[in-house]
Amino acid sequence: MDDCIFCKIVKGEIPAFKVYEDEQVFAFADINPINRGHTLIIPKKHAENIWEMSEEDMQAVHRAAKKVARAIEKALHPEGIACMQLNGKAVNQVVMHYHYHLIPKSADEPEMALTRWELKPGDMDQIKEISEKIAAALS
Ligand code: AMP
Ligand code: ZN
């Protein structure tokens, strides 16, 4: 995609701090890091979101995520790593090229809002009904 910033990174048309690359994926530092070591994994082939991603690229991104997460663990010794991926403007996807965030959190870094939500018991009848609706849509 010509006007996609992440496609331009894949093609080397704009700079990036590369962490990892293979035939299908590219991993690089997020330039607005939530924490130290915040890394993005993207498919080289443009796909906007989870619905557009091919099975092969989905597997490749997640295989690479495991590899990079292991490297982050070894290099930075974080307390944990949040894995996050946004689909659609409603959930604040800003760059419309699929990207998987790896966000480590070290001991001296503050709690992240995205990993802290209040647990409130839901309506079990509604949960059941919605789960059945999703399950039915799978067949
Ligand atoms: P989102 O679409 O909300 O999941 O997040 C897009 C992410 O891409 C943000 O965390 C940005 O900081 C990051 N980002 C945008 N442009 C670049 C770039 N040129 N290099 C590295 N990261 C970028
Ligand atoms: Zn793209």
Side-chain angles (χ1 to χ4, degrees):
M1 255 229 185
D2 286 349
D3 61 349
C4 170
I5 189 165
F6 285 179
C7 282
K8 286 183 178 159
I9 285 179
V10 170
K11 287 188 263 178
E13 291 173 5
I14 61 169
F17 297 103
K18 182 172 97 174
V19 169
Y20 173 77
E21 179 177 15
D22 63 29
E23 225 172 83
Q24 283 168 281
V25 313
F26 195 86
F28 56 104
D30 193 307
I31 52 167
N32 304 289
I34 295 177
N35 282 337
R36 289 190 298 275
H38 184 167
T39 304
L40 303 174
I41 325 268
I42 65 172
K44 287 186 171 177
K45 184 165 166 257
H46 183 89
E48 184 168 314
N49 52 38
I50 194 167
W51 301 289
E52 282 189 8
M53 281 284 277
S54 68
E55 294 289 324
E56 293 74 21
D57 279 350
M58 189 63 95
Q59 285 172 12
V61 164
H62 283 260
R63 243 191 330 264
K66 174 140 174 100
K67 217 173 254 186
V68 175
R70 215 182 289 125
I72 289 173
E73 169 82 5
K74 201 167 152 190
L76 304 177
H77 309 293
E79 286 187 309
I81 302 180
C83 299
M84 184 185 68
Q85 193 272 310
L86 305 175
N87 300 281
K89 290 195 162 64
V91 293
N92 288 329
Q93 181 180 4
V94 173
V95 177
M96 301 321 242
H97 178 132
Y98 186 98
H99 51 282
Y100 194 70
H101 293 260
L102 293 182
I103 310 165
K105 183 201 170 303
S106 295
D108 64 335
E109 288 168 326
E111 189 107 47
M112 291 183 278
L114 72 99
T115 64
R116 251 250 181 265
W117 59 84
E118 199 187 336
L119 292 183
K120 283 186 268 177
D123 175 334
M124 293 303 148
D125 290 336
Q126 193 187 52
I127 292 170
K128 179 174 183 287
E129 186 191 325
I130 292 171
S131 305
E132 286 169 357
K133 201 169 174 181
I134 297 169
L138 276 163
S139 50

